[in-house]
Amino acid sequence: MKGGLSLYRDAARSRGRTIGLYGGSFNPAHDGHAHIAKAALTRLGVDEVWLMVSPGNPLKDAASDMAPFPARLKSAGRIARPPRMRATDIEKRLGTRFTADTIEALKARMPLTRFVWLMGADNMASFDRWQRWSEIPHAVTIAIFDRPGYARHRHGGGIARRFGRFLVKPQRLVRARPPAWCFVTLPRHPASASAIRRQSGPKWYAEAL
């Protein structure tokens, strides 16, 4: 098992807790990500949020402007606020690439931990393109957070069409059993990773390494 000892430690410290899994490229991480993570803690009532830095995004071109993994993990660490919010390389340690596989591996190794998948509304339109996407809502509850320019996807996308009847209020999500999902409205944060990259170019991760 990759990173076995660390995974056992993660399992021990998270036993009986509800963990919000906020996966993403974090290319780079920014205050908008922290804004959503904080909302998960306060609005949903999860015990912790893991900023789960992906080794690679299957829906993005490998030749794109994706920064090296260490730089992205470091940038996520800068916005994390321990002990209830932390950046983690657990997906890299698990050796998984797709969200469905990551969730399956986490649940197998941490059967006494509850997981909630956190994502921005920008992902609603592409969610049904994810590998084994329809299995994810049956494995974990899902919280979708409003993002600038994406409110129109609140009632669109595969998850809304396939799982619309399982929509619950945010305050009920942690106690709900999958399949269940919620849409969280909150003040929108203007930060954008693509805007940061346009302004800084490769300098942002050159300085982070």
Side-chain angles (χ1 to χ4, degrees), residues 22-203:
Y22 191 5
S25 301
F26 297 100
N27 186 43
H30 52 70
D31 289 342
H33 294 126
H35 181 61
I36 287 178
K38 291 174 185 175
L41 293 169
T42 59
R43 296 284 300 277
L44 303 181
V46 300
D47 296 307
E48 292 181 43
V49 171
W50 291 358
L51 304 176
M52 200 168 60
V53 184
S54 172
N57 187 329
L59 294 182
K60 293 184 179 178
D61 185 353
S64 70
D65 55 357
M66 187 70 68
F69 180 81
R72 294 185 288 114
L73 180 63
K74 189 171 183 178
S75 76
R78 286 174 175 165
I79 67 165
R81 298 293 180 268
R84 298 186 66 200
M85 188 192 309
R86 65 189 181 100
T88 177
D89 64 348
I90 196 166
E91 194 166 30
K92 187 178 182 69
R93 286 183 278 132
L94 287 169
T96 55
R97 187 166 178 244
F98 298 105
T99 297
D101 295 334
T102 297
I103 291 171
E104 184 177 57
L106 285 172
K107 291 186 67 176
R109 290 162 174 78
M110 304 179 188
L112 300 180
T113 302
R114 290 173 61 90
F115 295 106
V116 178
W117 184 258
L118 314 176
M119 67 182 187
D122 50 318
N123 284 305
M124 284 193 76
S126 63
F127 188 74
D128 55 5
R129 293 168 53 202
W130 294 15
Q131 184 85 358
R132 296 165 53 203
W133 75 273
S134 61
E135 298 177 24
I136 298 173
H138 290 287
V140 292
T141 55
I142 298 173
I144 300 170
F145 294 82
D146 203 0
R147 287 286 307 276
Y150 290 94
R152 65 184 180 276
H153 294 308
R154 175 176 178 176
H155 300 295
I159 187 171
R161 289 192 298 271
R162 179 81 66 89
F163 296 95
R165 68 186 183 277
F166 299 109
L167 181 67
V168 301
K169 294 181 179 180
Q171 60 268 30
R172 294 185 55 195
L173 188 71
V174 166
R175 294 183 178 85
R177 297 182 63 180
W181 65 285
C182 71
F183 191 93
V184 184
T185 56
L186 70 167
R188 299 178 185 177
H189 197 286
S192 163
S194 58
I196 293 172
R197 293 195 303 274
R198 283 196 301 269
Q199 292 172 1
S200 304
K203 291 183 180 178

